[in-house]
Amino acid sequence: MGKLTGRTALVTGGSRGIGRAIAQRLGSEGALVGVHYASNEAAAKETVTAIEEAGGRAFAIRAELGVPGDADALWAAFDAHADGVDVLVNNAGVAGPGRIHEVTEADYDRVFAVNAKAPFFIVQKGLDRLRDGGRIVNVSSGVTKVAFPDMTSYAASKGAVEVLTLTLAQTLGARGITVNAVSPGTIETDIHPWMAIPEAKARAAAFSVFDRVGQPGDVADVVAFLASDDARWVTGQNIDVSGGSGLGI
Ligand code: NAP
């Protein structure tokens, strides 16, 4: 028996990177996992297969986020496979580089639509499906902790996610639902193509007190804790998962 046996989870952006690691970890704890993706069906299927080969249960669902009607489309796809959800992980996100004078209105709208607006309406439209005693985990970022002028709109979108986390924790407490965020530091995923350059990767590693970049599993283990009964008394929090990045600043 895993800690999530009998529960159902939905991980947005579960096809690759951090979301894949979260989906696999929740699956290994016994949850039936909805692995959401935007376009990379092959990657989503790989995640589902990995969960099944480890003895778990999972299904893939496609929905483009950041477009009108995205949350409705996501839940319609989900409903075809499962009846209600216990753990919702809002992980899907896009990077949005740019200093204040470089960000176009279209860039800004895109980053906010995927990173901030989509989680808002996924929760709103999922409230009737989310069972009492459930869990919401929002994936934010360490870029809200200290200034990252090169990621102005991205950082602001994650700031919105953190405030949403706090507000929802108050609203949903009466139903026994906890709402928390995790804020990863630099994690080695496709979102950082520059990590292929050893010098750049070494510079990123130096931010952490452990002198390495994070791996998706470093985040997934913390999300699995927040999703479990062990975290029943933790809500409205933003857990730093950055290997101590910036402790010395
Ligand atoms: P990633 O490897 O690029 O994976 C992104 C995932 O999100 C994929 O599953 C992708 O689906 C999905 N996705 C992207 N755009 C989407 C859209 N418009 N609609 C629906 N799904 C979409 O990213 P990651 O590094 O794992 O990041 C995951 C989350 O962690 C993001 O919220 C990111 O901001 C946050 N984060 C990452 C880091 C880091 O260093 N990596 C640090 C802090 C926070 P497809 O496979 O179909 O494309």
Side-chain angles (χ1 to χ4, degrees):
M1 288 280 283
K3 288 187 173 176
L4 298 176
T5 298
R7 315 266 171 92
T8 300
L10 170 58
V11 182
T12 69
S15 48
R16 293 184 288 121
I18 295 170
R20 171 181 281 185
I22 293 170
Q24 288 187 226
R25 182 66 215 276
L26 300 184
S28 75
E29 292 291 351
L32 167 65
V33 186
V35 177
H36 158 263
Y37 67 101
S39 57
N40 198 333
E41 187 179 5
K45 281 185 174 164
E46 269 179 42
T47 307
V48 168
T49 301
I51 292 169
E52 289 173 345
E53 284 179 354
R57 295 184 305 142
F59 55 88
I61 54 171
R62 183 185 180 283
E64 173 76 22
L65 302 181
V67 296
D70 52 4
D72 284 327
L74 174 80
W75 285 118
F78 178 86
D79 289 346
H81 295 270
D83 180 20
V85 65
D86 302 283
V87 180
L88 167 62
V89 183
N90 281 308
N91 162 79
V94 288
R99 295 176 82 86
I100 183 70
H101 59 282
E102 295 164 343
V103 177
T104 66
E105 212 173 321
D107 293 339
Y108 179 97
D109 285 346
R110 171 78 181 148
V111 164
F112 266 77
V114 177
N115 293 359
K117 185 178 175 187
F120 185 104
F121 285 100
I122 289 169
V123 171
Q124 184 202 69
K125 291 170 186 283
L127 284 177
D128 292 343
R129 295 160 172 97
L130 193 59
R131 282 188 269 274
D132 290 357
R135 300 280 186 267
I136 297 174
V137 183
N138 296 320
V139 179
S140 183
S141 168
V143 297
T144 60
K145 202 165 93 175
V146 293
F148 274 82
D150 290 336
M151 307 189 80
T152 326
S153 58
Y154 175 80
S157 73
K158 292 300 189 180
V161 166
E162 291 177 13
V163 176
L164 178 66
T165 300
L166 192 60
T167 310
L168 288 175
Q170 174 70 27
T171 306
L172 298 179
R175 292 182 50 195
I177 296 168
T178 70
V179 188
N180 293 288
V182 292
S183 282
T186 310
I187 308 293
E188 189 166 12
T189 71
D190 298 344
I191 213 170
H192 298 307
W194 52 262
M195 259 197 222
I197 305 163
E199 298 76 21
K201 187 173 175 182
R203 271 198 300 279
F207 277 111
S208 163
V209 297
F210 303 121
D211 197 25
R212 69 169 174 87
V213 297
Q215 294 301 318
D218 294 328
V219 182
D221 288 351
V222 178
V223 173
F225 162 69
L226 291 171
S228 75
D229 289 339
D230 293 341
R232 62 195 169 278
W233 206 235
V234 181
T235 196
Q237 302 306 301
N238 177 16
I239 314 290
D240 180 278
V241 192
S242 71
S245 292
L247 284 184
I249 291 174

